[in-house]
């Protein structure tokens, strides 16, 4: 795209966003902003492929006394993980005040304990990096909000005060905390919209200077090493009276605007939207599949996989997965089972019954986890997420007793993650075979801390050798990843077909039509041995055994059959 076409597209998009409030100077200001980045050195980014595997981690997940934690993380990855992982999602790495990073004080200042931009630059030499852009809200300790409270003219429209004429009745809430909070200011009490907490103040992107600020931040992330940018809680960005204030058309158009700009300056930089909502709402962020998000979080996958391995019944997972196939040659899914947050339950709406959801809630509590709730429009509360280490969530305590069977079940569930169409993202505690971190919950009172333990470098290195459970999960997981990366049938832009071998089996056929490679994935989701006629001849690339139609799978066993 040449510059004239870029500017034409930008002007059209801004007019669509602001409609009757659009002013010609909006375009001129955005044009000047864009021109600041002309001639700057943006790194070249290769498009994603079957070789891309993301690791989700905090910048201080691995630490050593007296060292910037990014350096410790980099050392650990190089020494222990190697090139099994290609992309590192560093959860918010900026100065913050709460929510383990998601209340950013300064969008460009690296948290001092992590290091600085030089440390980030060092790790970017070994791994592609994904940055979090917490675009919906900012810390109350930020200069922006301090300026708002102090009466500084620049910031008076950066936030959204309570408006008696605004109809809030349909606003979707992900939390049980108040939507509006009060703050003491230089001139008395001020109010502000707070979707998530009293310390996380929603920014007012309807005010054009805020769109300019956020666009500059996005471009600076791309300029400073980001090859992927995660738009956190992006669905809540735009607010309109009388609406749900989630997934509004203007939010979609802002993402499309940012894609136009990133495609110009740094093509193949992945825009990844994080919207923990029902599936059809979630995939709306693909736009026309070529003009909005490159990837969307596959939020239905974690709870449906958990359901299948809990009930030993793949019916719901199979029915849902049958609706998932190739998006386009430029868009795909960001797949995960575990993350820094809990297991979101909203994506199961319309898929699991209330009774089926309750089974997962009860199991979570039995297995030592916690449950978080949200407020509904009718004044009731419903389950928002399950807070538990995913490896602990998988285990059925009455049958998954032996360590080897537990390890096999964990690997089995993650084989599904690695097989599903899209790009797999693995949470660091899953790769390292961790358990529930009760101390974190008890000390903080924060449910999500159960899956956010920080690990001292020497201790985790030693435990990966001495702790048999950690060692088995880590070594076998890495081998599984490395095998997967060598097969073009797992291209994120390939195709996927769900096959039905009964409710105790889950199966996918993955194919890359460009290379004519096809892999049949079959997993036994029960604790009993299963034999079936898979109907194909080929080689199970996991152990090089030949398959001639008949296949026997051990408890939680799985196969990747390269079809000949």
């Amino acid at each position: 795209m040449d510059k004239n076409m870029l500017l034409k597209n930008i002007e059209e998009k801004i007019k669509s966003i602001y409609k009757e409030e659009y002013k010609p100077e909006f375009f001129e200001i955005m044009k000047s902003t864009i021109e600041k980045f002309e001639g700057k050195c943006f790194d070249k980014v290769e498009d994603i492929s079957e070789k891309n595997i993301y690791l989700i981690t905090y910048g201080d997940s691995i630490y050593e006394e007296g060292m910037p934690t990014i350096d410790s993380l980099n050392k650990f990855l190089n020494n222990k993980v190697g090139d099994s992982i290609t992309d590192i999602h560093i959860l918010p790495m900026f100065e913050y005040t709460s929510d383990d990073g998601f209340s950013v004080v300064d969008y460009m200042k690296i948290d001092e304990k992590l290091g600085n931009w030089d440390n980030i630059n060092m790790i970017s030499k070994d791994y592609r990096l994904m940055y979090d852009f917490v675009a919906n809200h900012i810390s109350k300790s930020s200069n922006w909000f301090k300026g708002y409270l102090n009466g500084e003219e620049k910031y008076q429209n950066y936030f959204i005060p309570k408006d008696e004429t605004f109809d809030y009745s349909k606003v979707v809430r992900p939390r049980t905390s108040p939507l509006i909070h009060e703050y003491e200011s230089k001139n008395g009490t001020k109010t502000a919209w707070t979707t998530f907490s009293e310390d996380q103040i929603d920014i007012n992107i309807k005010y054009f200077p805020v769109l300019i600020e956020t666009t500059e931040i996005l471009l600076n992330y791309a300029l400073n090493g980001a090859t992927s940018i995660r738009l956190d809680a992006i669905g809540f960005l735009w607010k309109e009276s009388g609406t749900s204030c989630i997934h509004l058309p203007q939010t979609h158009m802002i993402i499309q605007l940012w894609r136009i700009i990133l495609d110009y300056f740094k093509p193949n930089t992945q825009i990844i939207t994080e919207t923990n909502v029902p599936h059809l709402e979630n995939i709306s962020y693909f736009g026309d599949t070529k003009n909005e998000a490159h990837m969307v979080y596959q939020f239905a996958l974690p709870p449906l996989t958990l359901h299948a391995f809990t009930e030993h019944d793949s019916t719901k997972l199979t029915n849902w997965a049958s609706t998932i196939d190739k998006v386009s040659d430029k868009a795909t899914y960001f797949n995960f089972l575990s993350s820094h947050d809990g297991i979101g339950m909203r994506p199961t709406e319309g898929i699991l019954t209330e009774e089926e959801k309750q089974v997962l809630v009860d199991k979570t509590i039995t297995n030592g986890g916690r449950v978080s709730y949200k407020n509904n429009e009718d004044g009731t509360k419903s389950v928002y997420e399950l807070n538990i280490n995913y490896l602990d969530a998988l285990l059925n305590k009455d049958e998954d007793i032996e360590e080897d069977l537990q390890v096999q079940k964990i690997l089995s569930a993650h084989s599904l993650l690695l097989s599903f169409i899209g790009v797999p993202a693995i949470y660091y505690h899953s790769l390292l075979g961790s358990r529930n971190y009760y101390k974190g919950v008890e000390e903080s009172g924060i449910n999500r801390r159960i899956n956010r333990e920080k690990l001292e470098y020497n201790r985790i290195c030693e435990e990966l050798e001495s702790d048999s459970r950690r060692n088995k999960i880590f070594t076998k997981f890495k081998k599984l990843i490395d095998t997967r990366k060598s097969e073009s049938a797992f291209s994120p832009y390939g195709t996927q077909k769900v096959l039905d071998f009964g409710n105790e089996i889950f199966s996918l056929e993955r194919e890359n039509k460009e290379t004519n490679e096809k892999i049949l994935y079959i997993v036994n989701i029960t604790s009993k041995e299963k034999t079936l006629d898979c109907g194909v001849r080929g080689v199970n690339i996991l152990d090089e055994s030949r398959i001639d139609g008949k296949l026997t799978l051990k408890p939680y066993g799985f196969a990747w059959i390269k079809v000949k």
Side-chain angles (χ1 to χ4, degrees), residues 25-186:
E25 56 260 38
F26 286 6
F27 170 67
E28 295 302 323
I29 294 168
M30 182 63 81
K31 179 181 176 183
S32 297
T33 300
I34 295 302
E35 288 175 345
K36 292 180 189 177
F37 292 86
E38 289 282 6
K40 293 196 175 183
C41 188
F42 287 87
D43 295 333
K44 183 179 179 181
V45 181
E46 297 296 326
D47 199 4
I48 57 171
S49 72
E50 65 277 0
K51 298 184 185 301
N52 289 90
I53 309 286
Y54 283 68
L55 184 73
I56 305 169
T57 181
Y58 286 96
D60 61 347
S61 292
I62 308 292
Y63 69 91
E64 294 174 274
E65 191 68 34
M67 281 191 67
T69 60
I70 285 291
D71 291 350
S72 297
L73 175 64
N74 196 19
K75 183 168 76 169
F76 177 80
L77 292 173
N78 275 285
N79 291 344
K80 294 294 182 180
V81 179
D83 60 4
S84 296
I85 297 295
T86 56
D87 295 65
I88 310 299
H89 172 198
I90 306 177
L91 291 155
M93 56 192 185
F94 307 102
E95 182 182 337
Y96 71 97
T97 49
S98 65
D99 198 18
D100 289 338
F102 287 91
S103 56
V104 177
V105 173
D106 186 326
Y107 286 114
M108 290 303 298
K109 184 179 179 182
I110 304 296
D111 184 357
E112 289 183 358
K113 69 176 177 292
L114 274 63
N116 54 38
W117 281 107
D118 290 336
N119 303 101
I120 299 295
N121 182 60
M122 286 300 295
I123 196 171
S124 72
K125 296 181 186 301
D126 298 321
Y127 297 95
R128 292 162 46 118
L129 299 181
M130 174 168 159
Y131 298 169
D132 253 298
F133 186 13
V134 189
N136 179 72
H137 49 267
I138 195 168
S139 169
K140 69 179 181 181
S141 298
S142 64
N143 286 336
W144 292 12
F145 195 63
K146 286 180 180 177
Y148 172 72
L149 295 181
N150 290 334
E152 296 176 31
E153 184 178 353
K154 175 179 177 179
Y155 298 108
Q156 290 316 291
N157 294 310
Y158 268 48
F159 303 98
I160 308 166
K162 184 176 182 180
D163 181 353
E164 297 298 340
T165 68
F166 194 99
D167 178 3
Y168 298 94
S169 63
K170 297 180 181 178
V171 174
V172 168
R173 298 304 320 285
R175 297 289 185 272
T176 56
S177 58
L179 179 64
I180 305 291
H181 277 92
E182 295 183 348
Y183 304 86
E184 289 307 312
S185 75
K186 183 178 179 181

Side-chain angles (χ1 to χ4, degrees), residues 312 399 405 504 524-531 553-557:
H312 304 316
E399 59 182 338
L405 188 63
E504 295 182 326
N524 173 10
I525 61 171
T526 78
S527 57
K528 308 296 182 183
E529 186 174 283
K530 297 291 175 184
T531 299
L553 295 172
K554 294 180 179 179
Y556 302 124

Side-chain angles (χ1 to χ4, degrees), residues 444-460:
S444 67
I446 299 170
N447 288 347
R448 286 176 168 177
R449 290 275 176 90
I450 200 167
N451 199 28
R452 296 180 178 181
E453 183 180 7
K454 313 299 183 184
L455 302 168
E456 197 277 325
Y457 177 88
N458 291 318
R459 175 195 143 200
I460 186 57

